[in-house]
Amino acid sequence: MSHWNDFDLEAKIRGILGEVGPRPSTHHFGRAYLTAYQLAVALEDRYPDLLAGMGVSVGGAGTGEPTSLAQYVARELSMRIKKGEPPDFEGAFLADAGIREIVFKRNGGDVRSSVLGSNDLSMFRLR
């Protein structure tokens, strides 16, 4: 069973990333990036049955969950970008140097990054 294919995650993530543009819209950097946490929260908001179907939580510090949607999204996108599939997805890291905490807004309560201090934060965008 491939959650990526079974839940059509590429199309869902593409839709979310496709709505993100630069601010201001004319900036030469192009589209803004979203972290794996932001993608996981957006997926939960738009597709409320997705997490239950996959058997995961959004993730974050203090959840006690060994795997999460944020981890799954980051891992899958990273592997696929490395292979060039899909060719219009791009990844990067936000270094955690000097960052104490990152908190993401979520309808079910805030999500705190669990990777700070151990890993840089992965981010993704459409080219």
Side-chain angles (χ1 to χ4, degrees):
M1 177 176 172
S2 166
H3 289 319
W4 188 262
N5 293 328
D6 292 346
F7 293 100
D8 200 17
L9 288 172
E10 181 181 325
K12 288 175 171 63
I13 291 169
R14 179 180 298 284
I16 293 164
L17 292 175
E19 294 174 4
V20 177
R23 289 190 298 191
S25 62
T26 57
H27 200 282
H28 64 279
F29 280 3
R31 293 181 186 269
Y33 287 86
L34 290 181
T35 68
Y37 285 107
Q38 289 168 299
L39 287 169
V41 168
L43 286 165
E44 178 188 40
D45 287 347
R46 293 175 190 209
Y47 308 100
D49 298 331
L50 178 67
L51 276 79
M54 291 180 65
V56 296
S57 68
V58 168
T63 63
E65 300 287 331
T67 58
S68 69
L69 183 57
Q71 288 172 321
Y72 181 81
V73 164
R75 182 178 60 249
E76 286 293 318
L77 284 173
S78 176
M79 288 186 329
R80 291 166 191 284
I81 288 168
K82 185 176 182 180
K83 291 189 228 176
E85 305 168 1
D88 58 340
F89 279 49
E90 189 170 42
F93 285 119
L94 172 64
D96 69 354
I99 299 174
R100 180 174 319 178
E101 183 176 48
I102 295 181
V103 181
F104 301 92
K105 293 186 287 186
R106 178 176 166 242
N107 289 335
D110 291 345
V111 175
R112 286 175 168 67
S113 173
S114 63
V115 298
L116 294 178
S118 61
N119 288 304
D120 295 325
L121 203 58
S122 59
M123 308 180 304
F124 305 94
R125 72 176 180 180
L126 288 177
R127 291 178 201 244

